[in-house]
Amino acid sequence: MIKNLWNHLSKHRQKQFLILQVFIFIASFFEMLSLGAVLPFLTALSEPEYVFDFIYLQPFIKFFGISEAGDLVLPLTLMFVMLILFSALVRIILLWAMTRLSFTTGADLSIKMYRHTLYQDYEIHVSRNSSEVINGIITKTKTVTSGIIYPLLNLINSAVTILGILGVLLIADVFVTSIAFFGFGGLYLLVMLSTRSLLNKNSQVVANKSDLMIKSLQEGLEGIRDVLINNNQRFYTQLYKKSDLEMRQASWRNEIIASSPRFGMEAIGITIIAIFAYTATRNLGGIDQILPLLGVFVLGAQRLLPLLQKAYGSYSRIKASKYSLIDVVTLLDQPLPDIDNFEHSPISFRESIELNDLSFRYSKDSPWILKNMSLKIQKGSVIGIVGKTGCGKSTLIDVLMGMLMPTSGEMKVDNHLINNENKRSWQSHISCVPQNIYLTDSTIEQNIAFGVTDEEIDHSRVRRAARIAQITDLVDEWESGYQTIVGERGMRISGGQRQRVGIARALYKQSKVIFFDEATSALDDKTEQAVMKAIESLDKDITVIIIAHRLTTLKNCDQILRFQDNHSIQTLSYEELLKDNTNIGNKNSV
């Protein structure tokens, strides 16, 4: 999985990671150097004559003109302090580089996941829960950043530094260093083996329960009207509480597993140093003779034990984030179309849209929604679609818009076969006004010019679209006019107002084909008549396809398609539909 994650990084980020590895080796070298300098420094303090005669220091002694052993202590002290300070500076720079790279990489992954998700086919979007996708893009990416990328860099840094420190300690004393390293290493290995299955289990709990938390939040807040009316607050609170507590319980267990061994290891380390000091003084006859060596081991242990703990903690966090990583990689692996080579120029639409023996169903196990449908829609015509609820009217519109690809059969526009490669070129001609309009928490103007930056909004087009959608008078009554904030999902305006903003949005695009999926159902009769009259006044080359339940909405349709129970379609005029409905005693709706 980590390899898959690496493959999703940009070449620039991969290069940064490789450069960081080089810097880790440089930082480790200075760590070794600062630790290795402890022995000569402490020796110079206790036995300056011994150091004065050291052959490798003669060039240094001659350069500074030092004539007595005692004069050597001050320059060596200053050099030692400078080396320690420089080593600390290198570690700070390394910490900055590791942290920055980890979090910028997390941002890259999150953006890439969102981009890949937005480019997926409509059929994929309707087949999965949005809460899992949102949680993956936001929460699990953060988990991967703090639980995989940063710990992995820490693990590499710790491993390289540990090897360097061990090299210095082995030079000082092979026997004690070997016992200490294999002792501590064995203990950490034992802890790793004993906690591996628990970390995996907790990782799965964290990944699954975080999905359920987002799901309960979305359902509770998006359905707030029903929640308040039905007094369901307790139900959604308990649903969130259960997931939240289980996720946090698994999280704190992982944190304890990752952090707790250090206390036992520190105690064992101090004990080993104490035994070593006692044994050495008994055998060598005094503390003075072993003070430099003891200082090296004390400082080495002080550096080595936290590094061993950091390496183990990093391993534990990586294991604890395993299932979040799997979910993140799954979202990253979503296929992305070749956007750069996409057919940007619209498919020509001068004649007609044709369906030839077209059928559609969502899966092999699901029933047919459309079956063996053949249909021809001439450009500039106004087509009405009627039928019982669930008969496939909205599915037909989704197919006509290229949102869903036929299971069998074909759709052609001016003899161009519509497929996954060119569907976005066809969609550049299309606008759609659904029954439930989605409005962003922004201004009326921004919602009409949906997906357009403030700098690119054509204000005259916004006002023309609003006028046709019969919303101009309402906007003029508001204090902020077109800058009025509509609230989340348009909650600050009425249902009819939201519908008219949606109609204005479709008209702003100046499309050649406009679909109305029961778009006027929230309007009163008078407003609906005014909107439909305005739509009739549009350019005669614009093709309009309307799903409606009101007969009056279909009054000016060139032809009306009525879905039958056996998947067939009956073509009627408005007068024929009106006559049929009158015969069955229903004069207002279809």
Side-chain angles (χ1 to χ4, degrees):
M1 275 296 164
I2 291 177
K3 184 181 179 182
N4 289 344
L5 188 67
W6 172 262
N7 292 334
H8 281 290
L9 300 182
S10 65
K11 298 296 182 183
H12 176 65
R13 285 282 178 250
Q14 290 179 352
K15 185 178 178 181
Q16 286 183 327
F17 273 100
L18 294 175
I19 292 172
L20 185 62
Q21 303 313 308
V22 175
F23 196 77
I24 285 173
F25 278 95
I26 294 172
S28 175
F29 171 75
F30 280 102
E31 192 80 12
M32 290 170 54
L33 207 59
S34 61
L35 180 60
V38 173
L39 184 59
F41 171 65
L42 292 179
T43 303
L45 292 178
S46 59
E47 299 179 82
E49 294 81 7
Y50 176 79
V51 177
F52 189 77
D53 295 330
F54 197 57
I55 188 170
Y56 294 108
L57 284 178
Q58 295 310 309
F60 173 81
I61 292 170
K62 289 178 181 178
F63 179 81
F64 285 98
I66 299 171
S67 57
E68 295 183 9
D71 296 336
L72 191 60
V73 176
L74 179 60
L76 284 178
T77 301
L78 292 174
M79 287 181 62
F80 179 73
V81 170
M82 288 175 64
L83 181 60
I84 295 298
L85 291 175
F86 187 76
S87 178
L89 178 62
V90 171
R91 290 203 302 272
I92 291 170
I93 294 172
L94 178 61
L95 176 65
W96 172 83
M98 286 172 54
T99 305
R100 182 180 181 277
L101 184 56
S102 297
F103 283 84
T104 52
T105 301
D108 289 347
L109 294 174
S110 182
I111 293 165
K112 188 173 183 180
M113 288 162 64
Y114 186 43
R115 184 166 178 256
H116 278 238
T117 299
L118 286 179
Y119 276 99
Q120 296 310 298
D121 291 335
Y122 180 69
E123 192 171 349
I124 293 174
H125 284 284
V126 298
S127 67
R128 64 186 179 191
N129 195 306
S130 62
S131 62
E132 295 178 10
V133 178
I134 293 170
N135 190 39
I137 293 172
I138 299 175
T139 308
K140 290 179 181 177
T141 306
K142 185 178 178 181
T143 301
V144 167
T145 300
S146 59
I148 299 288
I149 299 172
Y150 188 72
L152 186 60
L153 291 174
N154 255 329
L155 185 61
I156 295 169
N157 180 34
S158 299
V160 172
T161 309
I162 286 169
L163 291 174
I165 291 174
L166 281 174
V168 175
L169 294 179
L170 284 169
I171 293 171
D173 193 299
V174 175
F175 180 71
V176 175
T177 301
S178 300
I179 291 176
F181 175 71
F182 287 110
F184 287 124
L187 288 172
Y188 272 116
L189 182 61
L190 185 63
V191 174
M192 286 164 58
L193 292 174
S194 62
T195 58
R196 183 171 54 184
S197 60
L198 183 56
L199 286 169
N200 268 332
K201 181 182 177 181
N202 289 339
S203 172
Q204 195 166 13
V205 170
V206 170
N208 291 340
K209 296 304 176 183
S210 62
D211 284 343
L212 292 175
M213 285 170 61
I214 300 295
K215 184 172 181 286
S216 63
L217 282 173
Q218 275 191 300
E219 291 176 354
L221 294 175
E222 290 183 7
I224 191 62
R225 177 182 289 179
D226 290 329
V227 170
L228 294 174
I229 291 172
N230 298 324
N231 197 26
N232 293 137
Q233 294 93 330
R234 181 180 176 82
F235 170 79
Y236 281 103
T237 302
Q238 290 297 323
L239 193 65
Y240 179 83
K241 178 183 176 181
K242 185 175 184 296
S243 299
D244 187 42
L245 288 176
E246 289 183 21
M247 187 204 73
R248 294 186 191 278
Q249 186 179 52
S251 297
W252 66 250
R253 282 175 178 169
N254 286 340
E255 192 59 36
I256 288 175
I257 291 171
S259 303
S260 57
R262 59 171 290 195
F263 303 107
M265 300 300 174
E266 286 174 358
I268 294 170
I270 293 171
T271 302
I272 290 174
I273 289 172
I275 293 171
F276 168 72
Y278 172 77
T279 305
T281 52
R282 295 281 293 180
N283 293 337
L284 298 175
I287 191 69
D288 292 342
Q289 295 184 21
I290 65 138
L291 183 61
L293 188 60
L294 185 61
V296 171
F297 275 105
V298 169
L299 186 59
Q302 185 263 335
R303 297 276 181 88
L304 191 60
L305 286 175
L307 286 170
L308 284 170
Q309 174 59 35
K310 187 184 285 188
Y312 165 74
S314 297
Y315 162 81
S316 299
R317 287 180 176 85
I318 290 169
K319 291 291 289 184
S321 305
K322 174 184 173 182
Y323 284 92
S324 293
L325 174 62
I326 291 171
D327 291 341
V328 165
V329 170
T330 300
L331 287 173
L332 287 170
D333 282 339
Q334 295 175 109
L336 185 67
D338 187 3
I339 301 166
D340 294 333
N341 294 322
F342 242 36
E343 191 178 341
H344 293 291
S345 58
I347 288 176
S348 64
F349 179 40
R350 298 186 181 90
E351 298 176 9
S352 64
I353 307 167
E354 284 187 73
L355 305 183
N356 297 318
D357 202 24
L358 184 144
S359 300
F360 176 83
R361 60 181 175 181
Y362 281 98
S363 67
K364 292 181 180 179
D365 300 325
S366 61
W368 291 102
I369 300 174
L370 305 175
K371 194 170 183 182
N372 302 327
M373 180 178 290
S374 294
L375 176 67
K376 188 171 186 177
I377 299 172
Q378 294 293 338
K379 183 183 179 183
S381 59
V382 180
I383 306 297
I385 300 176
V386 298
K388 295 179 181 179
T389 300
C391 67
K393 303 186 297 294
S394 294
T395 303
L396 172 60
I397 280 188
D398 285 338
V399 170
L400 289 171
M401 291 192 298
M403 302 294 288
L404 298 173
M405 288 293 107
T407 305
S408 62
E410 61 183 18
M411 181 177 86
K412 290 184 175 181
V413 175
D414 288 0
N415 290 320
H416 291 288
L417 179 66
I418 302 302
N419 51 38
N420 282 316
E421 283 68 42
N422 63 10
K423 65 182 180 183
R424 285 184 173 82
S425 296
W426 163 234
Q427 287 163 352
S428 64
H429 289 296
I430 293 170
S431 288
C432 178
V433 187
Q435 184 175 9
N436 298 311
I437 303 294
Y438 173 77
L439 298 184
T440 61
D441 189 6
S442 54
T443 66
I444 293 286
E445 184 175 66
Q446 289 167 332
N447 271 288
I448 292 175
F450 185 72
V452 178
T453 63
D454 291 345
E455 295 77 18
E456 295 174 335
I457 291 176
D458 186 330
H459 304 289
S460 61
R461 273 174 63 183
V462 168
R463 282 151 182 76
R464 179 176 178 273
R467 186 175 64 255
I468 296 172
Q470 301 293 305
I471 198 173
T472 305
D473 292 342
L474 285 168
V475 173
D476 290 341
E477 290 176 5
W478 293 325
E479 184 178 347
S480 300
Y482 286 92
Q483 303 308 312
T484 301
I485 301 294
V486 302
E488 186 180 7
R489 299 187 305 279
M491 294 297 286
R492 296 181 186 174
I493 59 178
S494 70
Q497 291 166 350
R498 286 197 294 272
Q499 212 69 23
R500 278 177 275 178
V501 171
I503 294 170
R505 177 187 292 171
L507 296 171
Y508 177 86
K509 190 178 174 183
Q510 296 182 332
S511 302
K512 295 181 179 179
V513 185
I514 302 178
F515 292 87
F516 292 88
D517 189 354
E518 299 190 39
T520 59
S521 60
L523 305 180
D524 58 78
D525 290 340
K526 184 179 178 181
T527 304
E528 183 197 32
Q529 289 174 19
V531 169
M532 295 309 298
K533 187 175 181 181
I535 290 171
E536 290 167 27
S537 67
L538 296 173
D539 190 330
K540 297 303 179 184
D541 282 340
I542 294 177
T543 305
V544 179
I545 299 172
I546 305 168
I547 292 179
H549 280 294
R550 290 179 185 168
L551 278 169
T552 52
T553 310
L554 306 170
K555 187 174 182 180
N556 294 297
C557 289
D558 296 315
Q559 60 179 352
I560 297 168
L561 309 176
R562 181 160 66 182
F563 276 70
Q564 307 286 73
D565 292 335
N566 60 355
H567 294 289
S568 64
I569 292 181
Q570 182 183 13
T571 303
L572 304 168
S573 66
Y574 178 72
E575 290 72 20
E576 290 171 330
L577 180 66
L578 186 63
K579 183 179 179 181
D580 280 0
N581 271 37
T582 301
N583 290 337
I584 60 174
N586 190 350
K587 298 181 180 181
N588 298 316
S589 60
V590 289

